[in-house]
Amino acid sequence: MQRERLLKVLVIGDLGVGKTSLIKRYVHRVFSQHYRATIGVDFALKMLSWDQKTVVRLQLWDIAGQERYGNMTRVYYREAVGALVVFDMTRLSTFQAVLKWKEDLDSKEVHHLQVALSNGTPVPAVLLANKCDQRSHGLCPKLPKLENFSRQCGFVGWYETSAKDDTNIDAAVTCLVESIMAAE
Ligand code: GTP
Ligand code: MG
């Protein structure tokens, strides 16, 4: 008998870092250069044959970057079991905002809106340094070593990704789902 697991995963990060593009690439295998800001929240669903016994229904919550200043995130974050926190490698301000997004995520758990992980540990989060196809105009020399940074901030892993070139998106999601499944 196969069991089915529904996992609510948040995709968060500043405006224009590529959250919608990563999801579109991952779920629909397409990419567009055209930028249309997400309003509020969008959803996407991806089915994964996780192992012989388990099918994972991955529900991706694509939260608008501009929502960080709104008051809806506490509602959106509810019952999430994991998060992808995205920044744009070519824009330092989006990297600096990573900490704020992560703190936001963790603080919402402290307020017990997070009910899915009953043992009280923070939900697993993976850090995505997106637009790595633009590495040549990127910040790489200016960024602190992401390995140390991500460990200090409590991320379970980090990846350089590109929605344009389809780099490392599957790996990042797999890392997150592994960590969610291990936490149960
Ligand atoms: P909000 O919805 O406003 O929060 O933005 P978002 O994070 O969803 O960003 P979105 O996916 O809409 O992408 C913003 C812009 O960056 C678009 O013009 C995309 O084409 C572009 N973009 C996204 N990912 C990549 C990438 O990996 N490489 C390159 N070169 N451009 C990208
Ligand atoms: Mg978007």
Side-chain angles (χ1 to χ4, degrees):
M1 258 275 285
Q2 282 215 323
R3 59 176 188 148
E4 199 175 276
R5 297 293 333 267
L6 174 68
L7 304 182
K8 171 177 172 178
V9 166
L10 306 170
V11 184
I12 54 181
D14 266 7
L15 275 170
V17 295
K19 300 176 296 294
T20 301
S21 302
L22 287 162
I23 292 169
K24 288 241 156 76
R25 170 62 86 184
Y26 179 65
V27 176
H28 307 295
R29 303 265 146 229
V30 295
F31 175 77
S32 160
Q33 300 276 1
H34 181 69
Y35 174 40
R36 212 169 90 227
T38 303
I39 308 295
V41 61
D42 269 334
F43 305 94
L45 186 69
K46 172 92 172 175
M47 303 291 285
L48 298 174
S49 308
W50 187 248
D51 59 29
Q52 290 192 330
K53 286 180 299 192
T54 322
V55 173
V56 168
R57 287 168 70 89
L58 197 63
Q59 192 183 73
L60 297 162
W61 286 53
D62 176 8
I63 294 173
Q66 58 196 15
E67 284 295 317
R68 186 153 67 82
Y69 310 100
N71 50 14
M72 285 300 286
T73 55
R74 56 166 49 228
V75 177
Y76 297 150
Y77 286 15
R78 206 168 182 150
E79 291 180 48
V81 293
L84 298 171
V85 182
V86 186
F87 73 97
D88 174 346
M89 286 206 163
T90 68
R91 285 187 295 139
L92 188 59
S93 63
T94 70
F95 172 71
Q96 290 161 340
V98 162
L99 260 183
K100 302 198 175 106
W101 284 101
K102 182 69 167 68
E103 279 166 8
D104 204 27
L105 185 69
D106 293 345
S107 73
K108 264 142 202 169
E109 290 155 6
V110 171
H111 294 114
H112 301 290
L113 285 166
Q114 167 57 46
V115 296
L117 287 193
S118 44
N119 59 7
T121 53
V123 295
V126 171
L127 179 63
L128 274 60
N130 192 41
K131 308 197 188 181
C132 72
D133 56 282
Q134 299 204 317
R135 190 188 307 281
S136 54
H137 10 188
L139 303 163
C140 295
K142 291 194 203 133
L143 288 179
K145 290 271 177 284
L146 283 182
E147 179 64 38
N148 292 337
F149 174 83
S150 92
R151 204 177 314 114
Q152 277 161 15
C153 298
F155 288 100
V156 298
W158 65 276
Y159 292 85
E160 292 185 355
T161 58
S162 167
K164 186 174 180 211
D165 293 352
D166 196 3
T167 308
N168 274 340
I169 308 172
D170 283 44
V173 174
T174 302
C175 168
L176 181 64
V177 174
E178 265 168 6
S179 156
I180 294 168
M181 300 297 268
E184 302 196 329

